[in-house]
Amino acid sequence: MDVKKVLLGVTGGIAAYKSAEICRALQKKGIDVRVIMTENATRFISPLTFVALSGHDVHSDLFEDPKEPILHIDLARDSDLFLIAPCTANMLAKIANGIADDLMSSTALAMASPVIVAPAMNVHMYENAATQHNLCVCRQRGIHIVEPAQGRLACGDEGRGKLADVDDIVSYASSVLFSIDDASDETCKEEDDHDLCGMKILITAGPTVEPIDAVRSITNRSSGKMGYAIADCAKRRGADVVLVSGPVSIDAPAGVDLIKVETAEEMLSSCEDPFTQSDIAVFCAAVADLRPLKSFDRKLKKGIDDEALSTIDLVPNPDIIATLAAKKRDDQVVVGFAAETDDVIENAKQKLNAKHADMIVANKVGGGLAFGCDDDEVSFVTEDDVLSLPLMDKAQIADRLLDQVLKC
């Protein structure tokens, strides 16, 4: 296999220093990295850093070499992927509007290979309608977006705008780069189909874990695969995704806002704010119905704590979907899941009304179906209809689910 070549673009923001980590991480994957910088980026980190790391000259001026007047064309032609990380609001606006007034923006306009941008900026700049419009335009044109993270920003503000984790950026770039030769992936919508662009989606996934003591807990066998597949497809189709997940052993899709929780009460608390902002909420998590009345911060010992071990008093957990969906707006769509062993459709219909949901995804558990599997057999139950799907991959189910949600 030929060595893949990534052109790394560095723009002028405080997160520019992380570009050096991105460069090294890409190189560890056997990728040849070349770097271009905006003039402002050179004020945050020296080009010599990238010369030393990449082993190549670093360019920042469109006309720096009179002998090479079409540098941007040569750079674009010789790259398998263009990754701009960090990408400022200014550079994002240039790319969205086709402006080519410096080396970076001219190269982006000349790229025939995939382009990925990882925005990083102040929360108010990120949430500004102009920036959100530019992100939407970029998605519609097939440009990949690695969404910024949420947290404390360099300016002291709190909110979304931090450069995504280096590992997430590198993982996303690698997945795009190494899938160029295999564009036949049919497990989800094509990358250029961004029918969820501009929409906010809340997804819950995985099990909850209710502690009995320091080592024991009440939980279930949910792997989180279904919820994570929905998050992945929603992100690829252009949505802004918040994924609230119980403990699982799989990686979250690149670009989603992952919130890790353990208990049902933590999951409810973590969902409350994203739910109010969401257009679609998909409650896929397998939430424990009950939790111990009392949890011990030490291990209960046989022969010492026999009384506590012999009887564990349980109390109901909050009903997350019913609690939140009772306050849903008219323009929100709420989807729940019903894992049943018997009377699957009948139980799903009852749950539809009890949970104030617009749709229930019903599936039969046991017999090698549902928990831990890569495929499943489900039915979409609404007030007026039941659509049953044959056995298929969970990524395909996720795709069909989002299609059905849009019809709602």
Side-chain angles (χ1 to χ4, degrees):
M1 180 183 295
D2 294 336
V3 174
K4 296 291 187 181
K5 297 180 180 180
V6 167
L7 182 63
L8 176 61
V10 185
T11 65
I14 190 63
Y17 75 94
K18 291 188 177 181
S19 300
E21 299 177 44
I22 294 171
C23 180
R24 291 297 292 157
L26 289 169
Q27 288 176 322
K28 288 180 181 179
K29 292 181 176 290
I31 297 168
D32 183 21
V33 182
R34 294 174 183 265
V35 178
I36 63 174
M37 306 175 69
T38 62
E39 182 180 350
N40 286 339
T42 63
R43 301 189 179 194
F44 287 90
I45 184 169
S46 170
L48 289 175
T49 299
F50 294 106
V51 172
L53 289 174
S54 70
H56 298 294
D57 291 337
V58 174
H59 304 284
S60 58
D61 187 346
L62 188 61
F63 302 108
E64 66 186 19
D65 187 352
K67 297 178 182 178
E68 199 171 9
I70 53 171
L71 176 60
H72 60 296
I73 302 298
D74 292 338
L75 289 168
R77 185 183 293 142
D78 196 37
S79 302
D80 297 305
L81 183 144
F82 189 16
L83 169 63
I84 304 177
C87 181
T88 59
N90 182 56
M91 184 55 60
L92 183 71
K94 288 184 180 184
I95 294 172
N97 291 280
I99 295 173
D101 63 353
D102 61 4
L103 178 61
M104 185 85 64
S105 56
S106 296
T107 304
L109 198 60
M111 283 296 298
S113 298
V115 177
I116 301 175
V117 298
M121 63 196 73
N122 170 269
V123 58
H124 302 300
M125 296 174 71
Y126 176 73
E127 292 179 348
N128 188 283
T131 301
Q132 291 302 308
H133 171 75
N134 292 335
L135 285 167
C136 192
V137 170
C138 286
R139 291 190 186 98
Q140 290 172 341
R141 293 177 181 169
I143 294 173
H144 303 264
I145 312 292
V146 182
E147 296 288 349
Q150 188 161 337
R152 184 174 177 80
L153 306 177
C155 59
D157 287 343
E158 291 277 348
R160 187 177 298 281
K162 292 176 58 178
L163 184 69
D165 288 343
V166 169
D167 288 345
D168 288 342
I169 295 172
V170 172
S171 175
Y172 191 94
S174 299
S175 67
V176 173
L177 184 65
F178 291 107
S179 66
I180 293 173
D181 298 328
D182 182 16
S184 61
D185 182 6
E186 298 180 356
T187 59
C188 197
K189 285 283 186 183
E190 294 295 329
E191 289 290 340
D192 59 353
D193 186 355
H194 294 89
D195 53 355
L196 297 178
C197 184
M199 302 188 76
K200 297 181 182 295
I201 299 183
L202 167 66
I203 300 168
T204 67
T208 59
V209 177
E210 311 296 337
I212 297 172
D213 62 14
V215 299
R216 302 177 180 90
S217 62
I218 298 174
T219 187
N220 56 67
R221 296 167 56 194
S222 173
S223 65
K225 289 182 178 180
M226 187 72 255
Y228 277 57
I230 298 169
D232 185 38
C233 269
K235 187 63 189 174
R236 293 191 185 196
R237 291 170 68 164
D240 184 3
V241 180
V242 175
L243 176 61
V244 180
S245 175
V248 297
S249 59
I250 53 179
D251 294 329
V256 308
D257 185 2
L258 176 65
I259 302 175
K260 296 181 179 180
V261 300
E262 291 200 350
T263 68
E265 290 182 312
E266 290 173 352
M267 182 168 284
L268 174 59
S269 176
S270 296
C271 286
E272 286 175 339
D273 183 56
F275 180 79
T276 63
Q277 303 176 43
S278 67
D279 301 293
I280 301 166
V282 181
F283 295 95
C284 189
V287 181
D289 294 321
L290 302 169
R291 70 179 186 276
L293 175 62
K294 182 179 181 181
S295 175
F296 296 84
D297 58 5
R298 61 181 178 83
K299 179 183 177 180
L300 297 176
K301 302 284 290 183
K302 290 182 180 179
I304 299 176
D305 301 301
D306 289 343
E307 183 177 352
L309 285 169
S310 63
T311 303
I312 300 174
D313 294 324
L314 301 175
V315 295
N317 263 327
D319 189 324
I320 296 175
I321 181 172
T323 300
L324 295 176
K327 299 177 287 186
K328 77 182 182 75
R329 306 186 310 271
D330 291 340
D331 63 341
Q332 279 182 299
V333 177
V334 173
V335 179
F337 274 67
E340 304 287 348
T341 56
D342 303 290
D343 302 323
V344 177
I345 301 301
E346 289 76 9
N347 286 323
K349 289 180 178 179
Q350 293 178 11
K351 196 170 188 178
L352 183 71
N353 296 320
K355 307 294 186 183
H356 313 289
D358 299 286
M359 182 168 71
I360 296 292
V361 181
N363 59 339
K364 185 177 178 66
V365 296
L369 293 174
F371 291 153
C373 300
D374 292 325
D375 47 28
D376 202 358
E377 187 174 331
V378 305
S379 297
F380 300 147
V381 180
T382 62
E383 186 176 350
D384 302 319
D385 193 20
V386 176
L387 174 61
S388 296
L389 303 181
L391 184 69
M392 63 177 62
D393 184 272
K394 287 183 176 178
Q396 292 175 304
I397 294 174
D399 196 21
R400 297 286 294 273
L401 170 61
L402 292 174
D403 288 342
Q404 199 68 17
V405 166
L406 287 176
K407 294 179 182 178
C408 292

